[in-house]
Structure formats: structure tokens, C-alpha cells
């Protein structure tokens, strides 16, 4: 169950390598979702310029790095403007590969405007040449003034230098504005996709695997809402009064079931070499952007905290992705595998209808997420490993599900390729998404500044620094849902309901529920 990303998110991958740039700025007419009001203390800015990796020159990477800058902070300690960060985009590569990029934009249903990018880039080049010409003239005038000369000649040179300075200042200001426009437009270009990804909308996605078959229920099938009411497992009405729609109280055995699912998922995934984490649930909006999500704008899924540069996370993918931000890892330490537990918060903007009823689509929920940092050549292998782990987890619970290779139109901006798992939900009478696994290649790591130093990397001389250093590469990142708790509860209640109204607990979960094997109807009060 992946956090929905903006189609205006940026980044590009070509032949398995991604060229990265920052998130697209939403149009000014789009209003920010301000769900909470919290004043945070001054945020310390960090400025990092990342080096280009060795393989970039071979394939003309769009970007080698991201540069982070911070907004001014008021005396009251509130952020007066949203923190901005920019990426070093290879616009020449965009221009030289416009046909490839245009096809990708169309296939992914992106609203990026390549023609605007190319037009702005041409204007940028012309203005840059004029700025460089004036700088050269200014330097010539400065050099002339070094020698002895008549006062009138010197005065003329001073005036010429002043005129050049004023004209140059104006053009440099124009160049800054044009550069910002160019950045914002180019940042809308989405990631290139894996060549085997089917082209089209969600309906074009291809089934990779089907596991199990629907359970034959010979009695009147109830959905999870009816079962939950009869078994006294959750309360949506009280939560609506307290928090609003799409919130809920879990009660009685449902509380035990959530805890059991969390502990079971972490325990099972940990056996595969994943390190357990509990993550922060409030992060800087720049980290959200660098992971490929749009924290502000129409139909965003992210809750932004008003008067701050912070957001609530919609998935643990974001804080786990940032755990090694701006760092160089050792190749010997790769892969780094994490299994993270967190609460997740999503606006679910635009969600409506029967598909959103009950626990299926809510604003707050618990989730266990897998995340991998690895070498570029290993990411396809680990993508298969992640989907295999998901399939094993859901198979062990006795669920009927299918795994899909998602089509281009359904991919979020960071995903090079994405597999979804949809489980049969008899009460809803359809399959519903319970998990996804994405290979983001080096899209996120380039934005987050996460590299590794290969053991066999060539030695390079660092300009202005003593000694030599070995070249670095950006790691690849992958993420996958081990267990999205509410939808798993939907699956379990609906698939294992009994004719007497009870629900059988799958055996793998019973040790985590104190041995409880059945959730039975409560005795009616007299």
C-alpha cells in the first residue's frame, strides 16, 4: 500500500540508473493542506554539494547531486518561508534525449512540459553567455585600472566599470529567476521506467503470480464493518466525533490483533536479515520531497504542519530513506536492510465510495515497512527478494492473492518498477491492494545524498585538497510493505469468518495473541 506521489515529482532513470532532481513546485493556485498548527524551533540549514558518480559521464546523467538551502527564520522561531533545495540537472542530456524523455512523460501520465523546459534552457544558455561576456569585460576594465594613467582616463574606466557592474547585476538577477523557472519545470520530469514494465493505466498491469483460491463460504458473507460491529472490535462513530471521518478506535481483540500483526511481521522479516527500526513520524518537508512525495499542493496525501517545515509521514519509507542522508557508506556494509514500524498519516484526498469504507482507507494507521540500500547492480535481485518475502508472509496466513507488475501509469515518480499485492476480500467482493514493492534505483539516494565507496573504485585527485580519494557511487533504494495493519485486519476478518459470527485467527498469529485462536461474539447483556 504505497503513498500516492505527485505526477509532478522529478527524477530520471536510464538503463537502470536514475538522474535525479528535486520535487516539482506546485502551481501557485494550489493551496497547501494545513492539517495541524505547530510552531517548531529554528531549523539549522545544511548545505551539501554531492559529487558526480563515475558512471554518470558514460550515460549523461541528468543530475549528480542535490543542494539543500534553508528558508529564513523569523525572530519568533517560525519558518517564514518553505525550505528550498535544488538539484544539479544535466539539461544538455535532456535536450539531447528529448524523444526518450517525451515518450516516458506520456507513458507515465506526467504533467511535465518538456517543450517549456527546452525553451527555458535555450534562454538560459543565451543569458548565461551574455553574463559571461559582461564579466569578461568587467575583468578587462579592472585590469586596465592597475596601471598608471591620466585622471580623466581613470575616471572614464571607473564609470565604465560602474555601468558594467549595474548591468551585470541586473542580468545576474534575471539569470537567477530564469534558473529557478528552469529548475521547477525540469523537476516535473518523472523517472524513466524498467523496460519490462507494461505501458498504460492500472488496467494494463500484468499478473505475475496468483496464490491460493477463494475460500468457499456457504453462509451469508459479512464485510469487516458488520463483523467488527457484532464482535465489538472497532468504533468509527465515536472516532468521527473526536477526530473526524476516516478515523477509528480499535477495541478488544482487534487491539491484540494489531499488536500481533506488528510483532509477527517484524519477527518474520528480521529472520531475513532486516534490522528493526521504530522511526520518527514527523520529518522535514525537504526529506519528503527528496523521497519523491509532494508535501503541499492539491490532492496531496501528506499532512503538512502549518507554520513549520515539517510533515507527518505517510509511510516509514521516508524516515528510513533519510537515516543515511548525506553520508558515504562502505561497500562492505551493503546491503543495509531495515524493517521499520511506524504510524502513517494520509489525507486520502479525493478518496470516496464503497472502496473507501471502514478500515480500507483511513487517515491514520500502523504499518511495517521493509527498506533496502544496496549496490546498483543488485537492486533488481533485491526487488525480487522483497516481493518473495511479501508473498511468503501472506501465504503463511492462508490468504488468496495475486501479484502484479504495475503499468507505467500507476507508478509513483520514484519507482523504476513496482509490484503490487492484491488480496481477496470476500466481504467487499473484490481484490484489494495490501502491499507493494518498489525499486527506486538511485532516484532517492541522489536526492538524499547517500553514496557508497566501492572497494575497487579508481583513485581520483580531489582539487584543492591534499591526498587522493576513491570515487563514490549512489546506492540504490528499495521499499516494500510487510504489513499494512488495517487492510490486513480487513482480510483476516472477512476471509476467516465463520457461520456462527466468530473469526478464526491464523495459526502464525496465535503465539502473538496469547494463544487466542478464535474471536467470538460477545455475550449479550440481559
Amino acid at each position: 500500500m504505497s503513498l500516492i506521489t505527485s505526477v509532478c515529482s522529478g527524477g530520471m532513470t536510464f538503463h537502470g540508473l536514475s538522474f535525479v532532481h528535486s520535487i516539482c513546485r506546485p502551481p501557485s493556485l494550489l493551496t497547501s493542506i494545513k492539517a495541524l498548527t505547530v510552531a517548531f524551533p529554528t531549523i539549522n540549514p545544511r548545505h551539501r554539494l554531492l559529487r558526480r558518480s563515475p558512471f554518470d559521464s558514460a550515460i549523461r546523467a541528468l543530475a549528480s547531486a542535490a543542494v539543500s538551502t534553508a528558508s529564513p527564520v523569523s525572530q519568533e522561531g517560525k519558518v517564514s518561508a518553505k525550505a528550498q533545495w535544488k538539484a544539479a540537472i544535466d539539461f544538455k542530456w535532456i535536450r539531447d534525449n528529448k524523444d526518450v524523455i517525451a515518450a516516458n512523460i506520456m507513458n507515465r501520465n506526467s504533467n511535465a512540459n518538456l517543450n517549456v523546459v527546452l525553451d527555458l534552457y535555450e534562454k538560459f544558455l543565451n543569458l548565461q553567455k551574455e553574463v559571461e561576456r559582461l564579466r569578461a569585460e568587467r575583468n578587462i576594465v579592472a585590469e586596465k585600472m592597475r596601471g598608471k594613467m591620466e585622471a580623466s582616463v581613470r575616471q572614464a574606466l571607473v564609470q565604465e566599470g560602474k555601468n558594467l557592474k549595474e548591468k551585470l547585476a541586473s542580468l545576474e538577477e534575471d539569470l537567477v529567476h530564469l534558473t529557478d523557472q528552469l529548475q521547477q519545470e525540469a523537476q516535473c520530469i518523472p523517472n524513466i521506467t524498467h523496460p519490462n514494465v507494461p505501458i498504460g493505466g492500472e488496467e494494463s498491469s500484468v499478473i505475475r503470480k496468483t496464490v491460493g483460491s477463494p475460500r468457499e463460504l456457504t453462509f451469508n458473507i459479512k464485510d469487516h464493518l458488520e463483523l467488527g460491529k457484532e464482535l465489538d472490535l472497532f468504533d468509527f462513530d465515536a472516532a468521527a466525533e473526536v477526530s473526524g471521518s476516516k478515523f477509528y478506535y480499535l477495541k478488544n481483540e482487534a487491539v491484540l490483533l494489531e499488536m500481533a500483526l506488528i510483532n509477527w511481521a517484524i519477527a518474520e522479516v528480521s529472520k531475513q536479515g532486516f534490522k528493526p527500526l521504530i522511526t520518527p513520524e514527523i520529518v522535514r518537508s525537504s526529506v519528503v520531497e527528496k523521497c519523491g512525495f509532494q508535501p503541499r499542493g492539491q490532492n496531496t496525501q501528506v499532512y503538512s504542519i502549518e507554520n513549520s517545515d515539517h510533515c507527518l509521514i505517510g509511510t516509514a519509507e521516508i524516515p528510513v530513506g533519510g537515516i543515511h542522508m548525506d553520508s558515504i557508506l562502505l561497500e562492505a556494509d551493503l546491503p543495509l536492510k531495515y524493517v521499520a514500524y511506524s504510524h502513517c498519516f494520509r489525507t486520502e484526498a479525493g478518496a470516496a465510495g464503497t472502496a473507501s469504507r471502514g478500515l480500507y482507507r483511513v487517515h491514520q494507521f500502523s504499518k511495517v515497512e521493509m527498506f533496502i540500500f544496496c549496490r546498483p547492480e543488485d537492486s533488481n535481485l533485491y526487488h525480487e527478494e522483497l516481493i518473495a518475502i511479501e508473498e511468503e508472509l501472506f501465504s503463511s496466513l492462508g490468504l488468496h492473492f495475486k501479484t502484479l507488475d504495475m503499468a507505467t501509469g500507476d507508478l509513483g515518480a520514484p519507482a523504476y518498477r513496482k509490484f503490487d499485492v492484491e488480496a481477496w476480500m470476500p466481504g467487499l467482493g473484490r481484490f484489494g491492494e495490501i502491499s507493494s514493492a518498489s525499486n527506486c534505483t538511485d532516484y532517492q539516494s541522489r536526492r538524499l545524498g547517500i553514496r557508497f565507496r566501492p572497494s575497487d573504485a579508481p583513485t581520483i585527485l580531489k582539487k584543492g585538497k591534499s591526498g587522493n580519494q576513491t570515487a563514490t557511487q549512489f546506492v540504490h533504494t528499495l521499499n516494500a510493505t510487510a504489513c499494512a495493519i488495517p487492510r490486513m485486519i480487513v482480510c483476516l476478518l472477512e476471509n476467516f469468518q465463520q457461520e456462527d459470527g466468530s473469526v478464526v485467527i491464523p495459526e502464525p498469529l496465535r503465539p502473538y495473541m496469547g494463544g487466542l485462536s478464535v474471536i467470538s461474539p460477545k455475550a449479550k447483556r440481559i
Side-chain angles (χ1 to χ4, degrees):
M1 188 164 62
S2 59
L3 178 62
I4 298 175
T5 62
S6 166
V7 293
C8 203
S9 298
M12 180 153 293
T13 305
F14 190 66
H15 297 309
L17 303 173
S18 56
F19 319 109
V20 173
H21 34 84
S22 66
I23 198 79
C24 178
R25 175 189 297 169
S28 57
L29 60 89
L30 302 182
T31 57
S32 301
I33 289 187
K34 299 176 179 179
L36 302 173
T37 303
V38 181
F40 280 87
T42 299
I43 299 171
N44 293 324
R46 295 198 296 177
H47 302 265
R48 291 286 177 127
L49 181 61
L50 306 179
R51 297 189 299 277
R52 180 167 296 193
S53 64
F55 48 77
D56 284 343
S57 58
I59 58 172
R60 305 298 300 164
L62 262 127
S64 61
V67 180
S68 176
T69 58
S71 304
V73 180
S74 67
Q75 293 179 353
E76 291 80 9
K78 295 181 179 180
V79 179
S80 57
K82 177 177 174 286
Q84 298 292 328
W85 62 279
K86 293 183 178 180
I89 301 171
D90 191 338
F91 295 101
K92 183 178 183 298
W93 193 94
I94 295 178
R95 184 184 62 186
D96 294 346
N97 296 272
K98 59 183 179 182
D99 292 340
V100 173
I101 296 171
N104 181 61
I105 288 173
M106 180 178 66
N107 291 340
R108 295 181 74 125
N109 294 328
S110 170
N111 64 352
N113 193 325
L114 181 58
N115 289 331
V116 171
V117 173
L118 296 175
D119 182 60
L120 287 172
Y121 181 50
E122 191 65 28
K123 292 178 180 178
F124 167 81
L125 291 177
N126 293 333
L127 185 57
Q128 188 179 54
K129 288 179 182 177
E130 180 64 13
V131 168
E132 291 173 352
R133 186 186 68 79
L134 290 179
R135 286 173 179 169
E137 286 188 21
R138 182 189 60 183
N139 292 339
I140 292 174
V141 170
E143 187 64 29
K144 288 180 179 179
M145 293 182 65
R146 292 179 182 275
K148 294 181 179 181
M149 63 192 72
E150 296 291 333
S152 58
V153 176
R154 180 175 294 277
Q155 182 60 36
L157 289 174
V158 168
Q159 185 59 46
E160 183 180 0
K162 181 179 179 181
N163 292 339
L164 286 171
K165 181 180 179 181
E166 291 176 353
K167 187 174 182 180
L168 186 59
S170 177
L171 290 182
E172 285 177 335
E173 184 176 353
D174 291 341
L175 187 62
V176 169
H177 292 311
L178 184 58
T179 300
D180 184 61
Q181 284 182 284
L182 180 57
Q183 277 273 334
Q184 297 304 326
E185 289 294 337
Q187 288 164 8
C188 293
I189 298 174
N191 202 346
I192 292 293
T193 57
H194 188 286
N196 293 340
V197 170
I199 296 174
E202 183 179 0
E203 68 283 353
S204 299
S205 301
V206 175
I207 297 177
R208 284 167 46 97
K209 186 177 184 179
T210 300
V211 176
S213 57
R215 219 178 129 226
E216 293 186 10
L217 301 176
T218 58
F219 50 87
N220 184 37
I221 299 173
K222 302 173 184 177
D223 67 13
H224 72 282
L225 278 171
E226 188 175 358
L227 288 165
K229 182 177 181 180
E230 293 179 358
L231 296 172
D232 196 22
L233 298 180
F234 31 76
D235 191 333
F236 285 91
D237 294 336
E241 294 294 326
V242 172
S243 302
S245 63
K246 297 187 183 297
F247 287 93
Y248 58 94
Y249 285 97
L250 289 184
K251 301 166 62 178
N252 302 314
E253 291 91 345
V255 176
L256 301 180
L257 185 55
E258 168 155 329
M259 298 301 178
L261 285 165
I262 292 168
N263 286 299
W264 163 76
I266 291 175
E268 291 301 309
V269 176
S270 295
K271 295 176 184 177
Q272 305 299 321
F274 287 72
K275 181 184 297 184
L277 287 177
I278 293 180
T279 73
E281 293 170 358
I282 294 177
V283 298
R284 301 182 190 277
S285 61
S286 60
V287 178
V288 178
E289 291 176 350
K290 291 175 184 180
C291 286
F293 303 104
Q294 184 179 334
R296 292 171 173 84
Q298 193 176 51
N299 290 329
T300 182
Q301 297 300 311
V302 180
Y303 280 104
S304 295
I305 300 175
E306 194 173 46
N307 296 323
S308 81
D309 188 38
H310 288 73
C311 303
L312 299 181
I313 65 170
T315 169
E317 171 191 344
I318 295 168
V320 179
I323 195 171
H324 296 296
M325 188 166 60
D326 298 327
S327 61
I328 299 176
L329 308 172
L330 296 176
E331 183 178 22
D333 292 336
L334 299 177
L336 290 173
K337 300 180 178 182
Y338 295 101
V339 54
Y341 162 73
S342 74
H343 293 104
C344 303
F345 305 87
R346 303 185 184 182
T347 67
E348 296 298 353
T354 57
S356 302
R357 294 179 66 236
L359 291 173
Y360 190 81
R361 198 177 297 279
V362 291
H363 290 310
Q364 176 184 333
F365 60 95
S366 301
K367 183 159 70 81
V368 178
E369 184 82 0
M370 297 179 284
F371 200 98
I372 296 178
F373 301 90
C374 69
R375 300 184 307 168
E377 59 266 34
D378 297 332
S379 64
N380 287 327
L381 176 67
Y382 286 118
H383 196 198
E384 294 293 340
E385 177 181 312
L386 286 173
I387 193 65
I389 291 174
E390 290 181 338
E391 291 171 347
E392 176 59 31
L393 289 173
F394 305 142
S395 294
S396 71
L397 294 180
L399 298 180
H400 168 45
F401 61 88
K402 57 184 178 180
T403 304
L404 300 98
D405 192 349
M406 302 308 292
T408 54
D410 193 65
L411 297 182
Y416 176 58
R417 192 177 196 181
K418 181 167 76 83
F419 302 141
D420 276 6
V421 177
E422 295 184 355
W424 177 247
M425 301 176 180
L428 297 179
R430 62 178 177 84
F431 284 93
E433 181 191 345
I434 59 171
S435 178
S436 66
S438 298
N439 182 0
C440 297
T441 62
D442 57 359
Y443 172 88
Q444 292 173 325
S445 63
R446 285 175 176 271
R447 298 156 72 95
L448 292 163
I450 308 171
R451 297 167 288 168
F452 75 101
R453 200 180 302 281
S455 56
D456 58 350
T459 299
I460 57 175
L461 178 64
K462 300 302 293 180
K463 184 178 179 180
K465 296 183 179 181
S466 60
N468 297 334
Q469 294 184 11
T470 54
T472 60
Q473 295 183 29
F474 288 95
V475 300
H476 279 197
T477 63
L478 304 97
N479 65 84
T481 307
C483 189
I485 305 303
R487 293 194 183 179
M488 190 59 65
I489 291 177
V490 171
C491 285
L492 297 180
L493 293 181
E494 295 189 359
N495 279 285
F496 299 112
Q497 59 182 296
Q498 306 298 304
E499 189 170 7
D500 64 358
S502 64
V503 174
V504 175
I505 302 299
E507 288 191 15
L509 298 178
R510 293 175 187 175
Y512 301 96
M513 295 191 66
L516 182 67
S517 60
V518 178
I519 301 176
S520 300
K522 308 296 182 294
K524 294 182 179 180
R525 295 182 180 178
I526 299 176

